Amino acid sequence: MSEEAYQRLWESSHVTLQELLDKERPLLHPVPERERQSFQHRLSSLYLFYLGLLRRLDAIYDQMVQPQKRRLLRRLLDGVAGRVLELQDELVRTDLSECRCLDHVLQELKLTPADLEVPIPKYFLLEQASILKDRGLMLAEILSKMEPVPSVEIFPGKHWTEAIILLQRAERARQGRLRAKFMREIRREEERDRKSREDGRHKFTQDQASVIIQKVWKGYLQRKRTQQDRQVEMEFIGMLPSPNETEHSGILSQACLREDVRRLRQVEKEEEFQLAMTQTHDSLIETEGPDIKEKMKEQIRQWFIECHALTGRFPDYPDESSGGSYVIFADKTPEQVRMELELQVQESKKKEQEKNKNKDEGKKEKKKGKEEKTKKGDMDNMLKVLPSKFVPVINAGHEEYMKLWKNRHESIYPSQSFDPETLREEKRKEVEVEIRTQVDKLMQQELKNLRLAVDREEERPLKPPKKKPGKKVGKKKEKDLTPSRSLDSLYEELVIHRLLKKSETVALKDYIGDCLYLGSALNVANKLPMPSLFDIRQNMALYGVLRLGSPDIHAMAPLIRSILLVGPPGMGKKMLVKAVCTETGANLFDLSPSNLQGKYPGRAGVQMVVHMVFKVARLLQPSVIWIGGAEKTFYKKVPKEEREMDPKRMKKDLTKALRLLNPGDRVMLIGTTARPQLAEMKGLCRTYERILLMPRPDYASRFVLWKHMIETQGVQVTQSLDISALAKVSDGYTPGHILQAIQSVLTERRLLQLSKRPLVASEFLGHLAKLEPVYKEEEESLKDWYFKTPLGKKRMKLIKEQMEAEEARITKEKKKKK
């Protein structure tokens, strides 16, 4: 795409953004409980629109060259991503479920399931590529020191006579196979001749023979033509893969090359812009700095004179914390100053009157208490959206675009260089702030001299503001147990003890699964839809990737410190942890009980290891702390075979360290478990703020899994392979089971035979039969456990209330008919 195309896309995005900002205002009004469905629909449609806008802004920001536009785009991109997270949080609060069934909204808005995909901004990895490279080299260097030198295997030698005998055997066997094949063909030919002699050959005339040949040939041509037409039709409607993959790959590679060229241009223009910023700053200080300084001094002196004329004394100079002389630069008149002084006197009188009235109001408050409680109860039953932190950011960015860039013709700067006038205006404000701090120091001294010369008054010390009595609000700071140690030494120690590991490169899109197409129908029938693999992937993108990827998003988005993935073995829980690390460039720390066995013994050792991990994780954020077998930390009763491991020793220190994580600390705790029933529900739910249930895949997800995994092995799916039958037969099997079956069948030898013997579905059945599926009893026990979690209880309560309301409505209608 050209620069003009991206400019048009940016303009259309702001049209959409204006529409979304208009839709935000009605959401702030509370809605009664009976309108829950319409409220959910409005939230869902807004969420989908913001997702589409996020996808477009990411594409524009990735390819826009002009540096000033990129800065505005970055603020808008982070703002829209944060708003997506806020709306997702609102949907969870409204639906009381982590699984969002948006199929009916997709149908009404005429969107496809692909529009549900959460886009991951490309700048997450591109902007920290150098940091990730240096960190990878440091980790590789430490690991190379640890790994032992592999010993060279010495194979036992053979005597030359034994080697000759071995070669003779192999050659005789080869000749025997060739001879057997030759004799088999001779016997078949003899058998064919014998049958033809016995049956006798029918003789045709020349005309009859030509007619028979024509029939056969025309039939063959028509069948071939029909097959080709059907193939073209199936490729056109997307039911078969197109054979021109080489052409498509060539086009895609060319497009990627152009994108890389534009990114190189971005770096060049950014360097030019940085140089221009320093030059503009220096030139403004040299040319306009003295005039700005004198103007500020004159303004402050005039303020001194006016205040002295009104009050008979010189004013106190504004403190730096309150803005310094910036308050004076508001060009206030003497009358405004007088009004401010009168307001201060009135406020002091009001405070005295309020103290006297407090005693009389105590009795009235008791009477009003009951009325307020009833009002609060009604408000609690109302559905409303919490105030957004990101909408003001988006609104400010949109206004800046409308003011600066909407009517700006791109023909002025065809090379996509920066706008010097806009840069000069921005830098002028920064220069004024710098000069103001210098002027404040000079004018404070001048005010002191004026007081001594005119009023003969010495400088009055500023009284510190009185602290209000009451309990101290805020979190206790964590005590640093390693104050004298450097970050490099702590990092190396964690790597040596295998607590910091190198994460495998796994893209989140490789976690394959299809969305739930009948979720709304199940909700209408008061049945609980289970999340699909697609929903799990989306939740990990929202809870993990978007929050950890950007410090600006994490600082303002709803804070989530921990996630628990619950599902049977083979569902891809570890894969999702690695995918979050890959997409955000995060460090991977392993605090699994099995990994801590025999390391840092005793109470002090546990405190030290938790402190070190969280300290390094904060300093090298983003970071992911993974705990495999998360139920072991909160065991109800520790099994005998695991008592030596002491899995519960980290329980208290882990919860304390999690509480100390604040907005802006891009550290995420992710736990994985297959047996949550063995853990204490209270402790587990306190530690993990979001619990994602991963049931076995449904038919749609199994179909996509089989197709994708077979194709990744280098096999093109043909009509001879019935994927639908495989998806039906593999009900109850996890993605791990499907991958094992495919790897067992598609060996190197079988891949070489594909040209002669195409792949069929029956080849996979024997390998699937050897694997142990996830039985319904196991899945039901996981569901029962999930519905005992806080969110699960709320969901069950809501469904019960809805069923009771429906029954009451039906009985009421029956009475009316009678």
Side-chain angles (χ1 to χ4, degrees):
M1 290 173 66
S2 63
E3 194 70 33
E4 292 180 3
Y6 285 111
Q7 186 65 31
R8 288 195 298 270
L9 186 60
W10 194 18
E11 291 172 4
S12 64
S13 299
H14 275 277
V15 173
T16 307
L17 188 59
Q18 183 62 56
E19 295 174 358
L20 292 176
L21 290 173
D22 294 338
K23 290 179 181 178
E24 289 278 1
R25 297 186 187 97
L27 284 176
L28 297 173
H29 303 296
V31 175
E33 179 69 26
R34 62 177 178 274
E35 298 180 14
R36 179 181 284 271
Q37 287 187 355
S38 63
F39 185 71
Q40 288 174 349
H41 185 273
R42 285 158 61 192
L43 277 179
S44 302
S45 59
L46 199 63
Y47 170 77
L48 287 173
F49 283 134
Y50 269 113
L51 271 183
L53 185 61
L54 176 62
R55 196 174 291 107
R56 278 187 281 172
L57 288 176
D58 178 40
I60 300 167
Y61 178 73
D62 183 51
Q63 294 297 305
M64 186 71 77
V65 176
Q66 216 269 6
Q68 290 164 310
K69 291 180 182 177
R70 280 176 59 79
R71 278 162 171 73
L72 175 58
L73 274 167
R74 174 65 178 272
R75 294 200 299 273
L76 285 170
L77 181 60
D78 288 346
V80 170
R83 187 57 185 151
V84 166
L85 295 179
E86 287 180 338
L87 287 171
Q88 190 258 353
D89 200 52
E90 294 292 342
L91 283 170
V92 171
R93 284 198 310 110
T94 308
D95 297 344
L96 299 177
S97 173
E98 300 287 356
C99 172
R100 294 172 299 281
C101 303
L102 304 178
D103 48 307
H104 64 295
V105 186
L106 284 175
Q107 191 174 0
E108 289 180 14
L109 299 177
K110 297 181 180 179
L111 300 175
T112 62
D115 295 310
L116 275 173
E117 195 75 43
V118 177
I120 299 170
K122 300 177 186 68
Y123 79 84
F124 283 1
L125 292 176
L126 290 173
E127 293 188 1
Q128 56 174 347
S130 59
I131 298 171
L132 292 176
K133 186 178 179 181
D134 295 340
R135 197 180 298 167
L137 290 173
M138 184 168 64
L139 183 59
E141 185 180 352
I142 298 169
L143 290 173
S144 64
K145 293 176 184 177
M146 291 170 50
E147 291 175 358
V149 180
S151 58
V152 181
E153 294 184 9
I154 301 171
F155 294 99
K158 282 184 178 289
H159 195 265
W160 64 273
T161 53
E162 293 179 358
I164 291 172
I165 292 169
L166 186 65
L167 290 172
Q168 286 176 346
R169 285 177 184 170
E171 179 60 24
R172 286 168 185 161
R174 187 186 69 82
Q175 290 177 3
R177 286 193 294 271
L178 286 174
R179 195 179 298 109
K181 184 180 178 183
F182 181 66
M183 293 304 295
R184 195 183 304 115
E185 290 176 358
I186 290 173
R187 281 195 294 272
R188 284 178 184 172
E189 189 67 30
E190 290 174 353
E191 186 69 21
R192 200 180 298 115
D193 293 341
R194 185 181 61 79
K195 285 183 178 180
S196 64
R197 284 196 301 271
E198 289 177 357
D199 297 338
R201 294 181 180 176
H202 182 72
K203 293 183 179 180
F204 296 100
T205 64
Q206 191 174 1
D207 293 339
Q208 289 175 338
S210 61
V211 169
I212 292 170
I213 292 170
Q214 286 176 355
K215 283 181 182 179
V216 173
W217 178 245
K218 287 181 179 178
Y220 167 76
L221 284 179
Q222 187 58 42
R223 285 192 298 273
K224 191 174 181 180
R225 197 177 295 118
T226 305
Q227 188 179 2
Q228 287 176 350
D229 292 342
R230 180 170 177 77
Q231 180 84 8
V232 170
E233 182 185 0
M234 296 296 279
E235 288 174 8
F236 178 73
I237 63 177
M239 295 299 289
L240 286 176
S242 60
N244 300 326
E245 290 183 359
T246 55
E247 294 180 11
H248 290 301
S249 61
I251 294 168
L252 288 174
S253 62
Q254 192 175 0
C256 292
L257 183 62
R258 288 176 181 173
E259 290 179 358
D260 293 338
V261 170
R262 292 180 71 87
R263 291 191 188 109
L264 291 173
R265 286 188 64 202
Q266 287 174 4
V267 175
E268 293 174 3
K269 297 298 178 183
E270 182 64 28
E271 290 174 356
E272 290 178 10
F273 185 62
Q274 292 291 341
L275 181 62
M277 285 171 69
T278 55
Q279 291 175 351
T280 306
H281 181 271
D282 296 341
S283 67
L284 282 172
I285 287 178
E286 288 178 6
T287 55
E288 300 182 13
D291 295 338
I292 294 171
K293 196 172 186 178
E294 289 302 319
K295 186 180 178 182
M296 287 181 181
K297 285 182 178 179
E298 288 298 324
Q299 195 172 3
I300 295 169
R301 287 192 187 105
Q302 184 66 27
W303 181 65
F304 289 165
I305 295 166
E306 289 173 357
C307 287
H308 192 275
L310 283 170
T311 60
R313 54 186 290 275
F314 289 106
D316 293 330
Y317 204 88
D319 190 25
E320 187 65 31
S321 61
S322 61
S325 59
Y326 181 77
V327 182
I328 307 165
F329 294 161
D331 293 329
K332 293 182 181 178
T333 61
E335 294 176 359
Q336 288 175 335
V337 176
R338 188 188 300 165
M339 289 293 291
E340 283 182 1
L341 294 170
E342 288 177 0
L343 284 170
Q344 288 178 1
V345 174
Q346 289 176 4
E347 284 177 2
S348 62
K349 288 181 180 179
K350 282 181 181 179
K351 285 180 181 178
E352 291 179 1
Q353 291 175 1
E354 285 175 0
K355 287 180 182 178
N356 296 329
K357 287 181 180 180
N358 281 338
K359 296 179 181 179
D360 300 330
E361 288 178 355
K363 296 178 182 178
K364 294 180 181 179
E365 284 179 359
K366 291 181 180 178
K367 295 179 181 179
K368 291 180 181 179
K370 295 180 181 178
E371 296 176 2
E372 288 178 358
K373 284 181 180 178
T374 54
K375 288 180 181 178
K376 283 182 180 178
D378 295 337
M379 288 300 293
D380 290 340
N381 293 328
M382 303 285 278
L383 298 171
K384 57 182 179 180
V385 175
L386 298 176
S388 172
K389 294 181 181 178
F390 288 97
V391 169
V393 177
I394 298 170
N395 203 3
H398 179 62
E399 289 176 358
E400 184 180 341
Y401 167 80
M402 300 296 287
K403 182 181 177 182
L404 290 177
W405 304 107
K406 184 182 178 182
N407 299 318
R408 186 77 58 93
H409 295 289
E410 294 302 311
S411 58
I412 301 173
Y413 303 106
S415 63
Q416 296 304 313
S417 297
F418 61 91
D419 182 8
E421 290 300 323
T422 308
L423 175 62
R424 201 170 182 81
E425 288 296 324
E426 291 175 359
K427 284 296 169 185
R428 187 175 285 114
K429 293 176 183 178
E430 294 180 10
V431 168
E432 286 178 359
V433 172
E434 289 178 12
I435 293 174
R436 181 181 64 78
T437 55
Q438 298 173 8
V439 169
D440 283 351
K441 294 178 182 178
L442 294 172
M443 297 310 292
Q444 282 175 359
Q445 186 63 35
E446 188 172 328
L447 179 62
K448 183 180 177 182
N449 296 336
L450 281 170
R451 280 176 177 163
L452 286 171
V454 179
D455 297 339
R456 295 181 181 178
E457 180 183 354
E458 294 182 359
E459 185 182 6
R460 297 189 299 272
L462 290 172
K463 294 181 180 179
K466 293 181 180 179
K467 293 181 180 179
K468 293 181 180 180
K471 294 182 179 179
K472 293 182 180 179
V473 180
K475 297 182 180 179
K476 294 181 179 179
K477 290 185 178 179
E478 183 185 9
K479 185 180 178 182
D480 193 357
L481 301 178
T482 55
S484 59
R485 295 192 57 181
S486 65
L487 175 61
D488 292 341
S489 66
L490 293 172
Y491 187 89
E492 187 173 357
E493 183 177 343
L494 292 175
V495 173
I496 290 169
H497 285 89
R498 307 285 183 184
L499 298 175
L500 198 156
K501 296 183 175 180
K502 184 179 180 181
S503 176
E504 296 177 19
T505 303
V506 179
L508 189 63
K509 63 181 181 181
D510 292 337
Y511 189 79
I512 301 298
D514 209 351
C515 65
L516 191 64
Y517 293 99
L518 298 175
S520 301
L522 291 171
N523 278 329
V524 170
N526 288 325
K527 292 182 180 180
L528 288 170
M530 285 292 104
S532 64
L533 300 185
F534 181 88
D535 297 324
I536 300 297
R537 185 174 74 235
Q538 299 309 95
N539 281 329
M540 288 305 292
L542 292 165
Y543 289 142
V545 178
L546 284 186
R547 280 177 164 83
L548 291 178
S550 170
D552 298 328
I553 296 173
H554 194 281
M556 297 174 67
L559 182 61
I560 293 176
R561 301 182 183 94
S562 52
I563 305 170
L564 180 64
L565 300 176
V566 180
M571 285 300 300
K573 299 184 286 294
K574 292 179 188 175
M575 180 183 177
L576 286 172
V577 175
K578 294 171 185 174
V580 171
C581 294
T582 302
E583 298 290 352
T584 59
N587 300 290
L588 178 61
F589 297 86
D590 186 0
L591 282 182
S592 304
S594 58
N595 191 39
L596 285 175
Q597 188 174 4
K599 302 172 185 176
Y600 296 95
R603 175 72 181 151
V606 175
Q607 290 179 347
M608 179 60 73
V609 70
V610 173
H611 167 76
M612 284 170 59
V613 166
F614 275 85
K615 182 179 178 180
V616 176
R618 278 200 199 94
L619 293 173
L620 297 178
Q621 52 185 285
S623 299
V624 171
I625 301 171
W626 172 56
I627 298 181
E631 80 283 353
K632 296 179 182 179
T633 313
F634 301 93
Y635 263 145
K636 295 175 184 175
K637 185 179 179 181
V638 181
K640 290 181 181 179
E641 60 272 11
E642 295 184 9
R643 283 177 186 172
E644 291 183 5
M645 187 193 300
D646 194 11
K648 296 179 70 174
R649 62 184 183 133
M650 196 177 55
K651 180 179 175 182
K652 291 182 180 179
D653 297 294
L654 184 65
T655 51
K656 285 179 183 177
L658 271 177
R659 287 175 197 158
L660 294 170
L661 293 177
N662 299 318
D665 293 334
R666 291 183 293 154
V667 180
M668 179 76 71
L669 174 69
I670 303 180
T672 57
T673 177
R675 300 179 300 165
Q677 305 93 333
L678 304 178
E680 297 172 359
M681 178 66 75
K682 192 175 181 182
L684 199 66
C685 294
R686 273 184 183 177
T687 304
Y688 296 99
E689 298 172 359
R690 289 288 187 271
I691 299 174
L692 302 180
L693 180 64
M694 302 171 68
R696 55 187 184 175
D698 55 1
Y699 171 80
S701 294
R702 291 195 303 273
F703 185 92
V704 177
L705 276 167
W706 277 105
K707 188 173 183 296
H708 175 78
M709 288 181 177
I710 289 173
E711 287 177 347
T712 51
Q713 298 292 326
V715 179
Q716 188 174 1
V717 177
T718 59
Q719 292 180 344
S720 61
L721 181 60
D722 193 349
I723 299 289
S724 180
L726 284 173
K728 190 72 177 175
V729 169
S730 58
D731 186 15
Y733 290 94
T734 64
H737 291 146
I738 294 172
L739 182 61
Q740 284 183 41
I742 291 171
Q743 288 176 346
S744 301
V745 172
L746 295 176
T747 58
E748 291 183 12
R749 184 179 178 184
R750 185 66 184 89
L751 290 173
L752 294 172
Q753 296 172 351
L754 287 175
S755 57
K756 296 179 180 178
R757 187 161 60 93
L759 201 63
V760 292
S762 58
E763 295 182 52
F764 298 95
L765 300 182
H767 296 278
L768 271 180
K770 295 176 185 177
L771 300 172
E772 194 75 16
V774 179
Y775 295 105
K776 285 188 177 181
E777 294 80 9
E778 184 180 351
E779 189 175 9
E780 289 299 323
S781 67
L782 284 175
K783 289 179 185 177
D784 293 340
W785 176 87
Y786 180 75
F787 292 129
K788 292 176 184 175
T789 60
L791 189 65
K793 285 179 181 178
K794 290 178 183 178
R795 177 70 175 171
M796 294 300 290
K797 184 181 177 183
L798 176 65
I799 290 173
K800 188 177 179 182
E801 289 174 357
Q802 288 177 346
M803 290 177 70
E804 289 175 355
E806 186 69 21
E807 288 175 2
R809 186 183 64 80
I810 292 168
T811 52
K812 192 175 181 181
E813 287 178 356
K814 286 181 179 179
K815 287 180 181 179
K816 283 183 180 180
K817 288 179 181 179
K818 290 179 181 179

PDB file of all heavy atoms in Angstrom, residues 37-52:
ATOM      1  N   GLN A  37     -30.047  -7.973  28.508  1.00  0.00           N
ATOM      2  CA  GLN A  37     -29.693  -8.455  27.167  1.00  0.00           C
ATOM      3  C   GLN A  37     -29.356  -7.312  26.214  1.00  0.00           C
ATOM      4  O   GLN A  37     -28.373  -7.371  25.463  1.00  0.00           O
ATOM      5  CB  GLN A  37     -30.827  -9.300  26.597  1.00  0.00           C
ATOM      6  CG  GLN A  37     -30.948 -10.671  27.247  1.00  0.00           C
ATOM      7  CD  GLN A  37     -31.959 -11.545  26.554  1.00  0.00           C
ATOM      8  OE1 GLN A  37     -32.648 -11.102  25.645  1.00  0.00           O
ATOM      9  NE2 GLN A  37     -32.071 -12.792  26.984  1.00  0.00           N
ATOM     10  N   SER A  38     -30.167  -6.249  26.243  1.00  0.00           N
ATOM     11  CA  SER A  38     -29.883  -5.106  25.369  1.00  0.00           C
ATOM     12  C   SER A  38     -28.583  -4.415  25.787  1.00  0.00           C
ATOM     13  O   SER A  38     -27.803  -3.948  24.938  1.00  0.00           O
ATOM     14  CB  SER A  38     -31.036  -4.105  25.410  1.00  0.00           C
ATOM     15  OG  SER A  38     -31.187  -3.567  26.719  1.00  0.00           O
ATOM     16  N   PHE A  39     -28.322  -4.368  27.094  1.00  0.00           N
ATOM     17  CA  PHE A  39     -27.093  -3.769  27.593  1.00  0.00           C
ATOM     18  C   PHE A  39     -25.874  -4.592  27.135  1.00  0.00           C
ATOM     19  O   PHE A  39     -24.862  -4.033  26.688  1.00  0.00           O
ATOM     20  CB  PHE A  39     -27.151  -3.697  29.124  1.00  0.00           C
ATOM     21  CG  PHE A  39     -25.977  -2.987  29.753  1.00  0.00           C
ATOM     22  CD1 PHE A  39     -25.825  -1.622  29.634  1.00  0.00           C
ATOM     23  CD2 PHE A  39     -25.028  -3.696  30.465  1.00  0.00           C
ATOM     24  CE1 PHE A  39     -24.752  -0.970  30.218  1.00  0.00           C
ATOM     25  CE2 PHE A  39     -23.951  -3.064  31.048  1.00  0.00           C
ATOM     26  CZ  PHE A  39     -23.812  -1.684  30.919  1.00  0.00           C
ATOM     27  N   GLN A  40     -25.999  -5.921  27.219  1.00  0.00           N
ATOM     28  CA  GLN A  40     -24.926  -6.796  26.737  1.00  0.00           C
ATOM     29  C   GLN A  40     -24.695  -6.613  25.238  1.00  0.00           C
ATOM     30  O   GLN A  40     -23.551  -6.621  24.767  1.00  0.00           O
ATOM     31  CB  GLN A  40     -25.268  -8.256  27.040  1.00  0.00           C
ATOM     32  CG  GLN A  40     -25.163  -8.639  28.505  1.00  0.00           C
ATOM     33  CD  GLN A  40     -25.639 -10.047  28.767  1.00  0.00           C
ATOM     34  OE1 GLN A  40     -26.237 -10.676  27.902  1.00  0.00           O
ATOM     35  NE2 GLN A  40     -25.392 -10.555  29.958  1.00  0.00           N
ATOM     36  N   HIS A  41     -25.789  -6.451  24.494  1.00  0.00           N
ATOM     37  CA  HIS A  41     -25.671  -6.288  23.044  1.00  0.00           C
ATOM     38  C   HIS A  41     -24.929  -4.995  22.698  1.00  0.00           C
ATOM     39  O   HIS A  41     -24.076  -4.974  21.802  1.00  0.00           O
ATOM     40  CB  HIS A  41     -27.069  -6.279  22.422  1.00  0.00           C
ATOM     41  CG  HIS A  41     -27.066  -6.245  20.930  1.00  0.00           C
ATOM     42  ND1 HIS A  41     -26.999  -5.061  20.215  1.00  0.00           N
ATOM     43  CD2 HIS A  41     -27.091  -7.242  20.000  1.00  0.00           C
ATOM     44  CE1 HIS A  41     -26.986  -5.325  18.930  1.00  0.00           C
ATOM     45  NE2 HIS A  41     -27.050  -6.637  18.765  1.00  0.00           N
ATOM     46  N   ARG A  42     -25.234  -3.921  23.407  1.00  0.00           N
ATOM     47  CA  ARG A  42     -24.548  -2.647  23.155  1.00  0.00           C
ATOM     48  C   ARG A  42     -23.061  -2.750  23.476  1.00  0.00           C
ATOM     49  O   ARG A  42     -22.209  -2.261  22.725  1.00  0.00           O
ATOM     50  CB  ARG A  42     -25.199  -1.545  23.990  1.00  0.00           C
ATOM     51  CG  ARG A  42     -26.548  -1.090  23.444  1.00  0.00           C
ATOM     52  CD  ARG A  42     -27.392  -0.440  24.511  1.00  0.00           C
ATOM     53  NE  ARG A  42     -26.765   0.745  25.068  1.00  0.00           N
ATOM     54  CZ  ARG A  42     -27.200   1.360  26.180  1.00  0.00           C
ATOM     55  NH1 ARG A  42     -28.231   0.865  26.834  1.00  0.00           N
ATOM     56  NH2 ARG A  42     -26.595   2.425  26.619  1.00  0.00           N
ATOM     57  N   LEU A  43     -22.753  -3.386  24.604  1.00  0.00           N
ATOM     58  CA  LEU A  43     -21.348  -3.558  24.973  1.00  0.00           C
ATOM     59  C   LEU A  43     -20.613  -4.429  23.956  1.00  0.00           C
ATOM     60  O   LEU A  43     -19.472  -4.129  23.567  1.00  0.00           O
ATOM     61  CB  LEU A  43     -21.250  -4.210  26.361  1.00  0.00           C
ATOM     62  CG  LEU A  43     -21.379  -3.305  27.592  1.00  0.00           C
ATOM     63  CD1 LEU A  43     -21.287  -4.149  28.849  1.00  0.00           C
ATOM     64  CD2 LEU A  43     -20.302  -2.237  27.610  1.00  0.00           C
ATOM     65  N   SER A  44     -21.265  -5.511  23.518  1.00  0.00           N
ATOM     66  CA  SER A  44     -20.626  -6.443  22.565  1.00  0.00           C
ATOM     67  C   SER A  44     -20.356  -5.768  21.234  1.00  0.00           C
ATOM     68  O   SER A  44     -19.274  -5.938  20.650  1.00  0.00           O
ATOM     69  CB  SER A  44     -21.509  -7.674  22.359  1.00  0.00           C
ATOM     70  OG  SER A  44     -21.751  -8.330  23.582  1.00  0.00           O
ATOM     71  N   SER A  45     -21.325  -5.009  20.728  1.00  0.00           N
ATOM     72  CA  SER A  45     -21.121  -4.333  19.438  1.00  0.00           C
ATOM     73  C   SER A  45     -20.014  -3.289  19.547  1.00  0.00           C
ATOM     74  O   SER A  45     -19.182  -3.155  18.640  1.00  0.00           O
ATOM     75  CB  SER A  45     -22.423  -3.687  18.971  1.00  0.00           C
ATOM     76  OG  SER A  45     -22.888  -2.749  19.940  1.00  0.00           O
ATOM     77  N   LEU A  46     -19.969  -2.562  20.661  1.00  0.00           N
ATOM     78  CA  LEU A  46     -18.914  -1.568  20.858  1.00  0.00           C
ATOM     79  C   LEU A  46     -17.548  -2.251  20.945  1.00  0.00           C
ATOM     80  O   LEU A  46     -16.550  -1.757  20.390  1.00  0.00           O
ATOM     81  CB  LEU A  46     -19.197  -0.769  22.136  1.00  0.00           C
ATOM     82  CG  LEU A  46     -18.491   0.576  22.283  1.00  0.00           C
ATOM     83  CD1 LEU A  46     -18.918   1.535  21.193  1.00  0.00           C
ATOM     84  CD2 LEU A  46     -18.775   1.186  23.650  1.00  0.00           C
ATOM     85  N   TYR A  47     -17.508  -3.391  21.616  1.00  0.00           N
ATOM     86  CA  TYR A  47     -16.258  -4.160  21.729  1.00  0.00           C
ATOM     87  C   TYR A  47     -15.756  -4.602  20.354  1.00  0.00           C
ATOM     88  O   TYR A  47     -14.560  -4.478  20.041  1.00  0.00           O
ATOM     89  CB  TYR A  47     -16.522  -5.368  22.632  1.00  0.00           C
ATOM     90  CG  TYR A  47     -15.421  -6.399  22.683  1.00  0.00           C
ATOM     91  CD1 TYR A  47     -14.274  -6.194  23.429  1.00  0.00           C
ATOM     92  CD2 TYR A  47     -15.527  -7.591  21.971  1.00  0.00           C
ATOM     93  CE1 TYR A  47     -13.259  -7.146  23.477  1.00  0.00           C
ATOM     94  CE2 TYR A  47     -14.530  -8.544  22.007  1.00  0.00           C
ATOM     95  CZ  TYR A  47     -13.405  -8.313  22.767  1.00  0.00           C
ATOM     96  OH  TYR A  47     -12.406  -9.262  22.799  1.00  0.00           O
ATOM     97  N   LEU A  48     -16.663  -5.076  19.497  1.00  0.00           N
ATOM     98  CA  LEU A  48     -16.269  -5.529  18.159  1.00  0.00           C
ATOM     99  C   LEU A  48     -15.798  -4.365  17.294  1.00  0.00           C
ATOM    100  O   LEU A  48     -14.841  -4.494  16.523  1.00  0.00           O
ATOM    101  CB  LEU A  48     -17.443  -6.243  17.489  1.00  0.00           C
ATOM    102  CG  LEU A  48     -17.776  -7.638  18.032  1.00  0.00           C
ATOM    103  CD1 LEU A  48     -19.051  -8.159  17.400  1.00  0.00           C
ATOM    104  CD2 LEU A  48     -16.639  -8.597  17.763  1.00  0.00           C
ATOM    105  N   PHE A  49     -16.464  -3.213  17.410  1.00  0.00           N
ATOM    106  CA  PHE A  49     -16.038  -2.041  16.637  1.00  0.00           C
ATOM    107  C   PHE A  49     -14.643  -1.578  17.055  1.00  0.00           C
ATOM    108  O   PHE A  49     -13.821  -1.215  16.211  1.00  0.00           O
ATOM    109  CB  PHE A  49     -17.045  -0.902  16.809  1.00  0.00           C
ATOM    110  CG  PHE A  49     -18.310  -1.079  16.011  1.00  0.00           C
ATOM    111  CD1 PHE A  49     -19.548  -0.869  16.588  1.00  0.00           C
ATOM    112  CD2 PHE A  49     -18.253  -1.465  14.681  1.00  0.00           C
ATOM    113  CE1 PHE A  49     -20.711  -1.035  15.853  1.00  0.00           C
ATOM    114  CE2 PHE A  49     -19.412  -1.642  13.940  1.00  0.00           C
ATOM    115  CZ  PHE A  49     -20.646  -1.423  14.530  1.00  0.00           C
ATOM    116  N   TYR A  50     -14.387  -1.595  18.348  1.00  0.00           N
ATOM    117  CA  TYR A  50     -13.064  -1.189  18.835  1.00  0.00           C
ATOM    118  C   TYR A  50     -11.987  -2.186  18.396  1.00  0.00           C
ATOM    119  O   TYR A  50     -10.848  -1.794  18.116  1.00  0.00           O
ATOM    120  CB  TYR A  50     -13.065  -1.059  20.359  1.00  0.00           C
ATOM    121  CG  TYR A  50     -13.412   0.334  20.841  1.00  0.00           C
ATOM    122  CD1 TYR A  50     -14.583   0.590  21.531  1.00  0.00           C
ATOM    123  CD2 TYR A  50     -12.554   1.398  20.615  1.00  0.00           C
ATOM    124  CE1 TYR A  50     -14.909   1.860  21.977  1.00  0.00           C
ATOM    125  CE2 TYR A  50     -12.857   2.677  21.057  1.00  0.00           C
ATOM    126  CZ  TYR A  50     -14.045   2.898  21.735  1.00  0.00           C
ATOM    127  OH  TYR A  50     -14.344   4.161  22.157  1.00  0.00           O
ATOM    128  N   LEU A  51     -12.343  -3.471  18.340  1.00  0.00           N
ATOM    129  CA  LEU A  51     -11.382  -4.465  17.847  1.00  0.00           C
ATOM    130  C   LEU A  51     -10.991  -4.185  16.394  1.00  0.00           C
ATOM    131  O   LEU A  51      -9.809  -4.245  16.024  1.00  0.00           O
ATOM    132  CB  LEU A  51     -11.976  -5.876  17.955  1.00  0.00           C
ATOM    133  CG  LEU A  51     -11.765  -6.647  19.245  1.00  0.00           C
ATOM    134  CD1 LEU A  51     -12.354  -8.044  19.114  1.00  0.00           C
ATOM    135  CD2 LEU A  51     -10.304  -6.757  19.607  1.00  0.00           C
ATOM    136  N   GLY A  52     -12.001  -3.880  15.565  1.00  0.00           N
ATOM    137  CA  GLY A  52     -11.715  -3.549  14.170  1.00  0.00           C
ATOM    138  C   GLY A  52     -10.872  -2.291  14.042  1.00  0.00           C
ATOM    139  O   GLY A  52      -9.955  -2.217  13.211  1.00  0.00           O
TER     140      GLY A  52
END
